[in-house]
Amino acid sequence: MLRIKPAQLSAGRLFAWFIGTLYFKFLLFDLIWAFATTFSGFQFPIGYLTKLMFATLLAAPLLAVRSRWWIIGISLAVDAWLVANLMYFRTYYTVIPLSSYLLAGNLADFTDSVTESLRWVDLLFPLTTILLAAIISRTSVRQALKGHIRHMAGTLGLLFAIPGVIVAAWIMVKGGFKKAYEDLLYDYSTCGAAVYTIPGTWVYEQVSGAEELTPEIMGRIEAWLDSRPASALPDSVKARITPPDNIIVILCESLESWVIGTKIDGVEITPNLNRLVAEDSTLYAPNMLTQVRGARSIDAQLLLHTGLFPVAYGAYSYRFPHTTYPSLDKAWKHRHSDGLSTSFTVDKKIVWNAVIAAQDFGIDVLLDKPHFTLDAATGPRHRLGDHSLLRQSAERIETEELFKTGGHTLLQIVTYSGHTPFIIPDSLRQITIDERFPKRLKRYLEVANYTDRAIGTFVDRVRSNPKFANTMIVITGDHEGIGADRAEWIKDPEIASFMSAGQFTPLIALNSSVGLKYDGVLGQIDMYPTLLDLAGLYDYPWRGMGRSILDPAKKPFAVTPAGEIVGDASQATPEEVARAKEAYTIADLIISTNYFSRADLPAQSAE
């Protein structure tokens, strides 16, 4: 048995403690990960072998370094690395992409967001290092290894090689690493890091870069596209649609649906949205499942503008810049010869490579942080508050430069104040939430109320100007905002009475020629075809991977990136459900192969 009492350890016991501690850390990482996702990763034996290989690899240099400081230093480095990935996971539900380590300096702007992602359970990692340090405190590594270097090298070689051969054989049987990893993604989306370790996800990130559009891949994409039932909007619905002259999309940071209509101690959280969704000319779909992946906000823009799911890892805007997309913006300008597509954001245009994504979508003008006056800072990065952003946006579009009278403008405004950890100055708070609620939930509700007031003021101002008489205003959220706290909070019956257990953001279209409330579940992937229809662009060749909620054939369910069905799929065929799940993989192939750049596609689909 391993001795816990500090003493001079033999070479074998020293390595057993070192490798065993590292192995335990990797298992602990998987366990914490699984509590928020799924324990499915533990059913794959190769997951235990990959951890043993990696722990052995980290321990092996001790044969040359021969210092306790190597043991302690590596253990602390692994602690910091694993905790950092868990913190990232609690917001983005994936590990930190390898390319993002080069952007670590950006964390200075996210200090509050970072610290809020820590949990008490994370202390178990450094505690295991402290225990290991105590156990080896009386051991001279040089003395323990003296005369045993060759023997230990052979032992470590076997510890690495035997699992390595088994893992390699498994991967070969599965058709190669990329195929093996993608098979795992299809059925067990969040288990990649658990089965193949974090470095395994890095390898996949590298091998899943831009791909050649081979006949096989093209056939798979087109088989999926051809298998979809044709989208045919009934003539009775088309007859009701009066295309707007302009569209303004307000993409709200972390706005969830459940705040709309909620009262806390008799106080409305979103009184302005409450009155707006009650109007006869409003289309309101409260149960829109958020389907973004690791790139979050920029993923939401991809879903909205192109009707494509985000790529499996990293940000498509970084990994696949200058990709050809059909888009809402291109459809708009194809229909309107004087059409203009514009986007306002309080971030710098280099964040998430938004400037390149805007170009790829066909956005003509992108106004970023330097174009707005920072007169009301909110959030962890002290970005422009929603009220001031929407006020300044209204001032800009009242001029002719960016919003011509009688023209056709498509404008997107991306807000920021709802960014975790939901910080706004006391002077901007107008509601007080009782202390019986968790502090983070209180802050979320206060920010939701602030954003609601900003939207209400903006909408009223736009509506008072005859220039915007035939303008549709779309309000939605980029993704859910509560994250991993939701499961714990809704255990409280009072919170569960108003907070949704699902990750839903609203789709609201004001001044829509089709006023309705759609109570079924839809996905963010369904925004694109719905907006095409509301804009009278139902003849645009690329209809996206979703289905318009104006289409009677739309089934009231959606699929999460993890492959879970949300909503009622009882009326869907097994083939429809399978197709909805496979859509994520097909979208990844479409983007990574630049499928829409093919010359034989209809020009208006991509241009």
Side-chain angles (χ1 to χ4, degrees):
M1 294 179 60
L2 296 175
R3 297 176 60 186
I4 298 179
K5 181 179 179 180
Q8 173 66 35
L9 300 176
S10 66
R13 290 179 181 273
L14 179 65
F15 271 99
W17 275 111
F18 189 14
I19 293 174
T21 301
L22 293 175
Y23 189 81
F24 176 80
K25 292 176 189 288
F26 298 144
L27 282 177
L28 178 61
F29 174 88
D30 293 348
L31 185 63
I32 296 172
W33 181 289
F35 270 111
T37 55
T38 172
F39 285 86
S40 298
F42 286 95
Q43 69 180 300
F44 295 95
I46 61 166
Y48 301 96
L49 299 179
T50 55
K51 293 173 188 58
L52 178 58
M53 292 170 61
F54 193 46
T56 303
L57 192 64
L58 290 174
L62 184 64
L63 292 172
V65 179
R66 305 180 197 180
S67 169
R68 280 199 306 268
W69 291 112
W70 175 262
I71 298 174
I72 296 171
I74 286 295
S75 297
L76 289 174
V78 168
D79 293 339
W81 180 51
L82 295 178
V83 170
N85 275 274
L86 285 172
M87 292 163 66
Y88 188 88
F89 160 76
R90 286 167 183 142
T91 297
Y92 301 113
Y93 288 91
T94 185
V95 299
I96 303 173
L98 182 60
S99 57
S100 294
Y101 285 83
L102 300 175
L103 305 174
N106 291 345
L107 290 176
D109 289 335
F110 292 89
T111 304
D112 292 329
S113 296
V114 170
T115 55
E116 184 155 294
S117 297
L118 286 167
R119 299 291 184 272
W120 286 109
V121 70
D122 299 338
L123 288 174
L124 290 175
F125 290 97
L127 286 176
T128 60
T129 296
I130 292 172
L131 176 62
L132 178 62
I135 291 170
I136 66 172
S137 61
R138 295 181 178 274
T139 296
S140 167
V141 176
R142 288 187 176 274
Q143 182 178 340
L145 295 180
K146 187 176 181 180
H148 298 283
I149 298 292
R150 181 172 296 181
H151 172 71
M152 289 310 305
T155 300
L156 294 180
L158 289 175
L159 276 177
F160 184 84
I162 293 175
V165 169
I166 297 173
V167 171
W170 165 268
I171 289 173
M172 288 177 63
V173 169
K174 299 291 286 184
F177 180 74
K178 186 171 183 293
K179 179 67 165 54
Y181 201 100
E182 288 177 345
D183 285 348
L184 186 69
L185 289 179
Y186 185 75
D187 293 315
Y188 309 97
S189 177
T190 57
C191 295
V195 175
Y196 291 104
T197 72
I198 296 174
T201 67
W202 294 348
V203 173
Y204 177 74
E205 181 183 338
Q206 299 307 305
V207 301
S208 63
E211 293 196 35
E212 178 186 356
L213 186 58
T214 63
E216 179 184 2
I217 292 177
M218 185 183 299
R220 185 176 180 187
I221 293 172
E222 295 187 343
W224 188 93
L225 295 175
D226 292 342
S227 69
R228 297 176 304 165
S231 177
L233 203 62
D235 290 338
S236 58
V237 176
K238 290 182 180 180
R240 296 169 56 192
I241 294 175
T242 302
D245 291 332
N246 310 288
I247 300 176
I248 298 173
V249 178
I250 305 175
L251 188 60
C252 300
E253 175 69 40
S254 304
L255 177 64
E256 295 201 12
S257 298
W258 59 266
V259 296
I260 300 175
T262 290
K263 288 185 179 181
I264 304 292
D265 297 330
V267 176
E268 289 182 290
I269 303 303
T270 59
N272 291 286
L273 288 174
N274 293 350
R275 67 176 171 86
L276 292 173
V277 300
E279 294 177 349
D280 291 339
S281 61
T282 295
L283 178 146
Y284 178 38
N287 300 315
M288 184 165 69
L289 180 72
T290 62
Q291 295 174 309
V292 299
R293 302 186 99 159
R296 304 286 275 178
S297 296
I298 202 70
D299 281 352
Q301 294 187 41
L302 180 78
L303 284 154
L304 188 152
H305 287 268
T306 72
L308 286 167
F309 283 113
V311 294
Y313 280 92
Y316 66 92
S317 52
Y318 281 124
R319 292 180 58 205
F320 308 107
H322 307 298
T323 296
T324 300
Y325 296 106
S327 71
L328 178 64
D329 312 83
K330 293 173 182 177
W332 181 258
K333 291 187 290 183
H334 180 72
R335 171 63 62 86
H336 304 292
S337 59
D338 62 343
L340 179 71
S341 179
T342 306
S343 181
F344 297 168
T345 175
V346 300
D347 262 321
K348 296 178 182 178
K349 61 185 178 183
I350 61 172
V351 174
W352 291 120
N353 217 12
V355 63
I356 300 301
Q359 292 173 9
D360 294 345
F361 297 161
I363 294 174
D364 302 298
V365 179
L366 174 62
L367 298 189
D368 64 338
K369 179 183 176 183
H371 293 86
F372 296 92
T373 301
L374 183 60
D375 54 8
T378 63
R381 291 183 292 160
H382 305 288
R383 293 291 187 259
L384 185 62
D386 292 353
H387 199 281
S388 183
L389 167 65
L390 289 173
R391 174 181 54 77
Q392 293 184 52
S393 296
E395 292 170 355
R396 284 187 175 276
I397 64 177
E398 285 169 351
T399 67
E400 291 295 298
E401 181 182 3
L402 294 177
F403 214 109
K404 293 183 179 180
T405 301
H408 296 88
T409 301
L410 171 60
L411 167 65
Q412 171 184 264
I413 305 174
V414 183
T415 76
Y416 171 76
S417 298
H419 197 289
T420 184
F422 319 126
I423 297 172
I424 57 173
D426 291 340
S427 60
L428 299 180
R429 294 189 178 97
Q430 289 193 3
I431 60 171
T432 301
I433 305 300
D434 192 87
E435 295 294 331
R436 69 182 184 275
F437 295 108
K439 181 179 179 181
R440 187 166 181 261
L441 174 57
K442 288 175 52 183
R443 291 202 304 243
Y444 181 81
L445 292 167
E446 291 165 350
V447 171
N449 174 261
Y450 168 67
T451 297
D452 172 78
R453 283 182 278 122
I455 291 173
T457 301
F458 176 83
V459 170
D460 290 344
R461 179 167 180 171
V462 167
R463 284 179 165 179
S464 68
N465 190 326
K467 176 179 179 177
F468 305 106
N470 191 23
T471 296
M472 182 171 68
I473 301 176
V474 178
I475 303 165
T476 186
D478 58 357
H479 49 71
E480 56 80 31
I482 299 304
D485 286 326
R486 185 187 312 276
E488 184 63 30
W489 288 351
I490 61 175
K491 291 178 182 177
D492 182 329
E494 183 177 7
I495 295 176
S497 69
F498 59 78
M499 179 183 289
S500 168
Q503 299 181 357
F504 299 123
T505 190
L507 175 61
I508 304 168
L510 309 178
N511 197 28
S512 164
S513 54
V514 179
L516 65 87
K517 183 181 180 184
Y518 182 84
D519 288 316
V521 170
L522 68 156
Q524 283 181 299
I525 198 67
D526 301 313
M527 280 191 294
Y528 171 82
T530 301
L531 293 181
L532 284 179
D533 286 346
L534 291 175
L537 305 173
Y538 27 76
D539 294 329
Y540 189 60
W542 172 246
R543 296 291 302 175
M545 305 188 83
R547 205 165 187 95
S548 169
I549 60 174
L550 302 183
D551 187 339
K554 164 78 175 94
K555 303 296 193 305
F557 78 95
V559 179
T560 71
E564 299 171 354
I565 300 296
V566 177
D568 181 9
S570 61
Q571 298 179 16
T573 66
E575 291 76 19
E576 287 177 308
V577 173
R579 185 167 55 245
K581 290 183 176 182
E582 191 186 9
Y584 284 93
T585 301
I586 298 299
D588 197 302
L589 292 174
I590 286 174
I591 295 171
S592 63
T593 61
N594 202 3
Y595 173 79
F596 287 112
S597 65
R598 287 173 44 219
D600 57 330
L601 286 176
Q604 62 265 41
S605 294
E607 299 301 335

